[in-house]
C-alpha cells in the first residue's frame, strides 16, 4: 500500500509529568505513583477532550517490560480503569522496546484503516524507577538480543553501547572536543527541559550546566566514555506527544484520544550513596499515547 | 607467612561494634575477592567475628548482608568481570547476589573467644579500655600462638603500652580506621620501635587492598586524629562557657552557636557537637582519660561532657541532627516520648528534659530574629542559613 486509504487524525492528547530526580516532587525514599496512576491520568486527560468516551471503539496500550518493572502483565485489562465505558472494548497491548509508543500509534492507525474502528484510544506508559538503576539495566537489556548479548554485556548494558559510540567519536574527533560537544548537548537538553513544565529536568537548577556536562567519565563506577549526565539528553530534548487516531468525518477532525509521553528518570539515588550522584540508567516513569 | 596465607584465617574482636562491623565488612569483601581468584580455588577462607552478645551478632549479620549488597551494587562493573566465566550468572542481580553470598560464606560469628584459634591476622576493635584490651589480647594470643599478628583499632591507647601489657613482642600495630570504616578512606598506622618490620609492611599492603589511605602516626596517646579532635572538643566547650558568660546565652544556645560555626564556617560535614554525638560522649570521655593518663603535663577533661554522662547522655549516631535540621528526626521523636532511659539525645539535660527541643525553639527563633542575644542566624551570612 503506497498511501493510506483514508485520512487518520490525531484529535486530542494529554501528557503526564515525567517524574524523575530533576523534579521537586521526586523523592527516592518516598512512594511514587505507579502504572495505574499514569494510565488513568493520561487516558482521562485525553478523554476529557472528547464528547463521550463511549465513542472510543478500541484501545491500544504501549509499554516495555511492565511484567518485570511493575510485576504487572495484561496491561490491556487495566485500560478500563480510565473510564467504565471502556469495559468490553477490544484493547491490545503492544511492546517494541523504546519504540513502544510509536508502535502503539501505528497499531491504532491500522485499526482505523482496517475499518474495524472509527476511533482508538492509545496510551503509552512506563514506570521504571521501581528498581535501582543497576537492576533496571538488566531489564532494559531485554531490548537487545538477551540470549546472545546480556552475559557478555556491560553492567549498564545500553549506556555502555552509547559509551562505545562515544569512544568512536573520540577516536575521530579527539577526546576533548567530543566531551565538549557532549557537554554542550547536555546543556541544551536541560535548557529545553526547563521550558517544559512536565519535563523530568524541569526543576533542574544547576547553574553551570556546561561544567556539569564536562564531568569526567568513570569506567569503574559507570562507563568509560560517557558520564551519568549524558543519559538525559534524548528524553529531555524530545518529549513525546499524544496521539488520538480517528478518521475525519468528511475529512475533518472529530473525537479525541490519549496522550503519549516519553521520559527518562536518571536518578542516582544511593545512597547513595549520599554522594549526590545521578542514576546512570533511564527509568521511564510514564508514557501515555 | 605471606599476606595471602594470613588472609585465609582472620578474626575481628568486637565485631558487632561501630568500628568492628565496618572492619568486618571490608574484610569480608576482600576475602571473598581472594576466594574468587582462580589460583585460590583450593584455599579456604574464614573470617571469625567475635562479640559478647548473640543478639548483637544477629544484628551484625543483617547489617553485613545489607551493606555487602550495597557495596556489590556499586562495584557491579568489576564483579561482572570477576564472574565472566560463570555462565549461570547473567544479570547484575545474579552477580550481586552471588558475591554477597560468597562474602557471607566466609563469616563465622561467635561469642566464644576460643573459635579464633588458627587466626593469623586479628583485628581488635573492642571497648577502649586498657585493662580489658590487655586481658583479651593475652587470652587470644595464648590460643593463636606466636605466628599471629594483631592490628588494633584503638584510637587513643599507645601501641607500645598495649604491646607490653599484652606481651605480644612487637606483633601488634595501631590500625585506626575512621568512622565509618566502610566509607572513610583515612587510616592511621602506628608503629613502635619494637614493631616487626614485616607487620608494618603487611599493614600497608592490607590498607591498599581495602582501598584506604595510610598516614603514619607517632605512638602518642590519641595519635593524630583524636589528638586534634579531643583538643577541638575542649576548645568548643570553652567557647560555650565564654558565650554563656560574655553573651548571656543559655547553654543550649551557646552549644547551637558553636556547633553551627564549627560546621558552616569551618566547612565541615558536621558541627563539633554533632561529631561528639556521633562518636559518643562516653567514648570521648574514655579517650580523654586515656590521653590524660599517657601524656605528661596535660589534663584532658571537660565539665560539660562529665555532666552529660552523669545525666545518662551518651549520645550516639546522629541524634544531634535535630540542631541542624531544625527538627527531630522521626526516630529521635519516637525515642523522646520514652524518657527516662529511652532517649539518648545529646542535647538532653540531666533532669531528663530534652534540650534538643529547646534548641529547636532557638533555631526557629533565630530564624525569625526573635533571639536577639543569640548570634545564631543573625550573625551568619544568609547563604549559610539557606540549607537548614
Amino acid at each position: 500500500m503506497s498511501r493510506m486509504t483514508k485520512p487518520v487524525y490525531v484529535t486530542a492528547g494529554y501528557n503526564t509529568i515525567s517524574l524523575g530526580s530533576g523534579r521537586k516532587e521526586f523523592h527516592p525514599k518516598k512512594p511514587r505513583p505507579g502504572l495505574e496512576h499514569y494510565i488513568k491520568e493520561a487516558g482521562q486527560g485525553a478523554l476529557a477532550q472528547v464528547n463521550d468516551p463511549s465513542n472510543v471503539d478500541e484501545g491500544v496500550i504501549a509499554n516495555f517490560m511492565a511484567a518485570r518493572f511493575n510485576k504487572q502483565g495484561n496491561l490491556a485489562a487495566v485500560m478500563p480503569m480510565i473510564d467504565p465505558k471502556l469495559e468490553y472494548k477490544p484493547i491490545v497491548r503492544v511492546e517494541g522496546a523504546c519504540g513502544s509508543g510509536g508502535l502503539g500509534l501505528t497499531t491504532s492507525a491500522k485499526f482505523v484503516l482496517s475499518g474495524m474502528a472509527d476511533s482508538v484510544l492509545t496510551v503509552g506508559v512506563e514506570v521504571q524507577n521501581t528498581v535501582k538503576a543497576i537492576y533496571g539495566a538488566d531489564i532494559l537489556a531485554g531490548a537487545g538480543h538477551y540470549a546472545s548479548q546480556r552475559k557478555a554485556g556491560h553492567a549498564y548494558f545500553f549506556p555502555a553501547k552509547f559509551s562505545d559510540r562515544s569512544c568512536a567519536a573520540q577516536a575521530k574527533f579527539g577526546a576533548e572536543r567530543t566531551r565538549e560537544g557532549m557537554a554542550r548537548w547536555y546543556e541544551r537538553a536541560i535548557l529545553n527541559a526547563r521550558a517544559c513544565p512536565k519535563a523530568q529536568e524541569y526543576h533542574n537548577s544547576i547553574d553551570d550546566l556546561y561544567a556539569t556536562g564536562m564531568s569526567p567519565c568513570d569506567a569503574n563506577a559507570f562507563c568509560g566514555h560517557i558520564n551519568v549526565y549524558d543519559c538525559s539528553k534524548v528524553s529531555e530534548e524530545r518529549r513525546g506527544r499524544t496521539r488520538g487516531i480517528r478518521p475525519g468525518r468528511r475529512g475533518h477532525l472529530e473525537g479525541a484520544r490519549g496522550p503519549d509521553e516519553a521520559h527518562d528518570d536518571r536518578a542516582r539515588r544511593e545512597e547513595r550513596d549520599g554522594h549526590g550522584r545521578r542514576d546512570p540508567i533511564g527509568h521511564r516513569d510514564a508514557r501515555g499515547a | 607467612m605471606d599476606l595471602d596465607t594470613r588472609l585465609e584465617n582472620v578474626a575481628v574482636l568486637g565485631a558487632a561494634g561501630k568500628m568492628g562491623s565496618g572492619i568486618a565488612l571490608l574484610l569480608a569483601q576482600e576475602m571473598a575477592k581472594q576466594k574468587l581468584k582462580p589460583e585460590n580455588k583450593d584455599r579456604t577462607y574464614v573470617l571469625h567475628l567475635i562479640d559478647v552478645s548473640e543478639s548483637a551478632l544477629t544484628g551484625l549479620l543483617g547489617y553485613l548482608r545489607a551493606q555487602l549488597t550495597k557495596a556489590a551494587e556499586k562495584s557491579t562493573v568489576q564483579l561482572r568481570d570477576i564472574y565472566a566465566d560463570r555462565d549461570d550468572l547473567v544479570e547484575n542481580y545474579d552477580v550481586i547476589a552471588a558475591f554477597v553470598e560468597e562474602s557471607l560464606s566466609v563469616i563465622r560469628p561467635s561469642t566464644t573467644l576460643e573459635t579464633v584459634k588458627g587466626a593469623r591476622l586479628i583485628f581488635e576493635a573492642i571497648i577502649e579500655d586498657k585493662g580489658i584490651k590487655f586481658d583479651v589480647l593475652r587470652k587470644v594470643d595464648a590460643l593463636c600462638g606466636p605466628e599471629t599478628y594483631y592490628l588494633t583499632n584503638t584510637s587513643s591507647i599507645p601501641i607500645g603500652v598495649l604491646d607490653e601489657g599484652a606481651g605480644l613482642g612487637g606483633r601488634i600495630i595501631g590500625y585506626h580506621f575512621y568512622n565509618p570504616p566502610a566509607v572513610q578512606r583515612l587510616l592511621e598506622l602506628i608503629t613502635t620501635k619494637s614493631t616487626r618490620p614485616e607487620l608494618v609492611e603487611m599493614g600497608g599492603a592490607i590498607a591498599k587492598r581495602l582501598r584506604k589511605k595510610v598516614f603514619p602516626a607517632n605512638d602518642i596517646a590519641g595519635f593524630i586524629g583524636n589528638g586534634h579532635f579531643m583538643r577541638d572538643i575542649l576548645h568548643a566547650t570553652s567557647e560555650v562557657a565564654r558565650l554563656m558568660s560574655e553573651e548571656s546565652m543559655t547553654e543550649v544556645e551557646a552549644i547551637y552557636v558553636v556547633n553551627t560555626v564549627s560546621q558552616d564556617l569551618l566547612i565541615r560535614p558536621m558541627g563539633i557537637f554533632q561529631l561528639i554525638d556521633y562518636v559518643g560522649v562516653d567514648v570521648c570521655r574514655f579517650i580523654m582519660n586515656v590521653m590524660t593518663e599517657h601524656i605528661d603535663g596535660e589534663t584532658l577533661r571537660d565539665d560539660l561532657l562529665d555532666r552529660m554522662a552523669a545525666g545518662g547522655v551518651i549520645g550516639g549516631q546522629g541524634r544531634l541532627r535535630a540542631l541542624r535540621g531544625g527538627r527531630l528526626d522521626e526516630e529521635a521523636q519516637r525515642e523522646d516520648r520514652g524518657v527516662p532511659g529511652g532517649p539518648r539525645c545529646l542535647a538532653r539535660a540531666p533532669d531528663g528534659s530534652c534540650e534538643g527541643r529547646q534548641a529547636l525553639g532557638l533555631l526557629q527563633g533565630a530564624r525569625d530574629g526573635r533571639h536577639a542575644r543569640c548570634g545564631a542566624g543573625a550573625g551568619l551570612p544568609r547563604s549559610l542559613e539557606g540549607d537548614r
Side-chain angles (χ1 to χ4, degrees):
Chain A
M1 187 172 66
S2 60
R3 58 189 293 272
M4 293 200 294
T5 54
K6 53 186 174 183
V8 179
Y9 299 97
V10 176
T11 54
Y14 183 91
N15 291 339
T16 68
I17 63 163
S18 303
L19 186 59
S21 58
R23 294 193 67 88
K24 289 177 181 174
E25 306 96 314
F26 181 83
H27 191 295
K29 291 183 178 176
K30 289 183 178 175
R32 294 180 289 278
L35 275 179
E36 293 174 16
H37 169 90
Y38 288 113
I39 291 170
K40 287 165 69 175
E41 182 186 340
Q44 288 170 356
L47 291 180
Q49 299 165 46
V50 302
N51 293 331
D52 184 357
S54 60
N55 287 333
V56 173
D57 297 316
E58 299 202 20
V60 175
I61 185 163
N63 165 269
F64 177 62
M65 291 282 194
R68 292 199 65 185
F69 278 114
N70 315 100
K71 312 295 182 196
Q72 179 62 63
N74 193 19
L75 288 186
V78 179
M79 284 275 272
M81 287 184 179
I82 295 170
D83 193 293
K85 290 177 180 174
L86 295 177
E87 283 186 357
Y88 313 118
K89 304 272 186 180
I91 298 170
V92 296
R93 180 250 186 173
V94 295
E95 184 267 298
C98 295
S100 295
L103 187 60
L105 293 173
T106 54
T107 303
S108 297
K110 286 183 177 184
F111 284 159
V112 173
L113 291 170
S114 73
M116 299 290 287
D118 287 332
S119 62
V120 182
L121 174 64
T122 311
V123 173
V125 62
E126 302 289 351
V127 177
Q128 299 184 350
N129 53 22
T130 50
V131 297
K132 290 182 178 179
I134 194 67
Y135 302 115
D138 287 328
I139 303 174
L140 293 171
H145 188 242
Y146 194 87
S148 67
Q149 295 179 324
R150 184 62 195 118
K151 175 60 184 173
H154 192 274
Y156 295 99
F157 185 81
F158 273 112
K161 300 288 184 194
F162 292 105
S163 179
D164 292 344
R165 285 156 178 73
S166 175
C167 180
Q170 289 181 20
K172 187 170 183 179
F173 301 109
E176 190 175 350
R177 190 178 170 208
T178 302
R179 174 44 47 201
E180 287 171 356
M182 300 276 276
R184 194 64 71 193
W185 185 9
Y186 167 74
E187 179 184 38
R188 289 178 183 173
I190 302 303
L191 291 176
N192 281 349
R194 287 176 182 171
C196 176
K198 290 185 175 179
Q200 183 203 159
E201 295 289 335
Y202 179 63
H203 295 129
N204 183 319
S205 59
I206 294 174
D207 289 331
D208 193 342
L209 291 167
Y210 180 75
T212 302
M214 289 295 289
S215 301
C217 306
D218 184 350
N220 289 325
F222 185 41
C223 296
H225 301 284
I226 61 172
N227 63 39
V228 293
Y229 300 102
D230 292 326
C231 291
S232 290
K233 292 166 182 167
V234 176
S235 59
E236 296 306 327
E237 284 231 51
R238 186 194 63 76
R239 285 169 49 76
R241 307 285 181 276
T242 296
R243 299 290 184 272
I245 309 298
R246 177 172 179 164
R249 185 179 301 161
R250 301 194 199 99
H252 57 80
L253 304 181
E254 283 187 30
R257 328 314 108 147
D260 172 32
E261 172 177 354
H263 48 89
D264 289 51
D265 167 11
R266 313 295 176 198
R268 182 177 276 275
R269 296 180 290 269
E270 299 78 45
E271 207 176 71
R272 73 108 264 297
D273 335 337
H275 297 310
R277 300 185 61 182
R278 308 181 71 231
D279 193 333
I281 285 294
H283 281 186
R284 299 184 175 180
D285 288 329
R287 171 183 297 179
Chain B
M1 192 184 299
D2 64 13
L3 177 57
D4 286 336
T5 304
R6 287 183 184 275
L7 276 175
E8 289 179 48
N9 200 325
V10 182
V12 179
L13 309 177
K18 248 188 294 191
M19 302 301 290
S21 58
I23 295 168
L25 173 64
L26 293 168
L27 289 170
Q29 291 175 80
E30 172 57 23
M31 291 170 72
K33 284 178 183 171
Q34 290 298 317
K35 187 180 172 187
L36 287 168
K37 288 181 179 175
E39 63 268 28
N40 293 335
K41 65 181 166 85
D42 296 327
R43 297 189 184 211
T44 301
Y45 290 83
V46 178
L47 175 60
H48 302 284
L49 301 183
I50 311 297
D51 213 295
V52 294
S53 153
E54 290 285 2
S55 63
L57 287 173
T58 302
L60 172 64
L61 289 178
Y63 165 83
L64 288 175
R65 179 178 286 279
Q67 295 303 316
L68 285 166
T69 302
K70 283 185 179 178
E73 288 169 350
K74 287 179 191 169
S75 56
T76 310
V77 174
Q78 291 79 39
L79 291 180
R80 288 189 74 88
D81 288 338
I82 291 174
Y83 285 115
D85 294 335
R86 285 280 300 272
D87 291 339
D88 57 322
L89 305 179
V90 177
E91 299 208 333
N92 292 337
Y93 175 85
D94 303 328
V95 168
I96 290 165
F99 185 74
V100 170
E101 292 307 320
E102 200 82 64
S103 303
L104 290 172
S105 74
V106 306
I107 290 172
R108 307 284 187 278
S110 176
T111 55
T112 308
L113 209 52
E114 283 69 23
T115 55
V116 303
K117 185 177 182 181
R120 293 295 169 255
L121 278 178
I122 292 183
F123 290 77
E124 177 273 306
I126 62 176
I127 188 169
E128 200 72 348
D129 182 298
K130 192 170 63 177
I132 295 175
K133 282 186 193 287
F134 286 169
D135 186 44
V136 170
L137 289 173
R138 277 197 212 105
K139 283 180 182 169
V140 170
D141 200 43
L143 290 165
C144 296
E147 284 292 311
T148 298
Y149 284 157
Y150 297 83
L151 301 93
T152 173
N153 188 59
T154 180
S155 62
S156 60
I157 304 171
I159 306 308
V161 171
L162 283 178
D163 191 7
E164 192 176 330
L168 297 176
R171 288 179 290 116
I172 182 170
I173 54 172
Y175 214 65
H176 180 219
F177 291 84
Y178 276 60
N179 189 10
V183 176
Q184 299 290 347
R185 290 202 64 206
L186 290 179
L187 188 150
E188 283 181 295
L189 197 152
I190 306 106
T191 58
T192 69
K193 287 178 183 172
S194 59
T195 306
R196 295 190 184 181
E198 184 198 33
L199 175 54
V200 179
E201 190 179 329
M202 209 167 272
I206 295 169
K208 194 172 179 182
R209 293 191 186 195
L210 301 183
R211 294 165 299 284
K212 300 301 173 192
K213 186 171 180 59
V214 169
F215 59 101
N218 288 326
D219 192 24
I220 297 172
F223 315 120
I224 297 174
N226 279 334
H228 281 283
F229 179 36
M230 294 304 122
R231 292 171 177 102
D232 264 3
I233 292 174
L234 295 176
H235 178 67
T237 54
S238 71
E239 282 297 294
V240 168
R242 187 185 64 78
L243 290 172
M244 291 170 66
S245 165
E246 296 178 10
E247 305 294 335
S248 302
M249 290 185 188
T250 66
E251 192 166 66
V252 172
E253 288 171 336
I255 287 175
Y256 172 73
V257 169
V258 173
N259 190 70
T260 301
V261 168
S262 59
Q263 178 169 13
D264 289 344
L265 300 189
L266 298 183
I267 319 175
R268 290 173 173 175
M270 58 176 81
I272 185 74
F273 285 99
Q274 286 171 289
L275 188 55
I276 294 169
D277 185 48
Y278 187 74
V279 172
V281 173
D282 52 343
V283 175
C284 290
R285 293 176 72 242
F286 260 130
I287 294 170
M288 285 187 183
N289 290 339
V290 170
M291 289 175 67
T292 299
E293 183 182 347
H294 293 285
I295 296 176
D296 291 337
E298 186 175 6
T299 300
L300 288 87
R301 196 189 69 75
D302 182 71
D303 178 58
L304 178 57
L305 296 192
D306 289 348
R307 280 189 288 115
M308 286 177 175
V313 179
I314 61 168
Q317 304 292 353
R319 294 291 184 274
L320 208 65
R321 274 178 299 183
L323 281 181
R324 271 302 287 177
R327 60 179 174 74
L328 288 172
D329 61 281
E330 288 179 11
E331 184 185 6
Q333 286 188 42
R334 275 199 301 276
E335 292 187 359
D336 282 337
R337 293 187 198 113
V339 205
R344 291 295 191 184
C345 178
L346 183 146
R348 181 169 299 285
D351 65 1
S353 66
C354 181
E355 293 190 6
R357 292 206 182 284
Q358 297 173 39
L360 301 183
L362 165 71
L363 178 64
Q364 190 60 48
R367 277 178 173 163
D368 300 343
R370 283 185 277 112
H371 284 256
R373 64 197 168 113
C374 171
L380 295 176
R382 293 300 303 171
S383 59
L384 295 180
E385 285 274 277
D387 62 345
R388 289 205 184 115

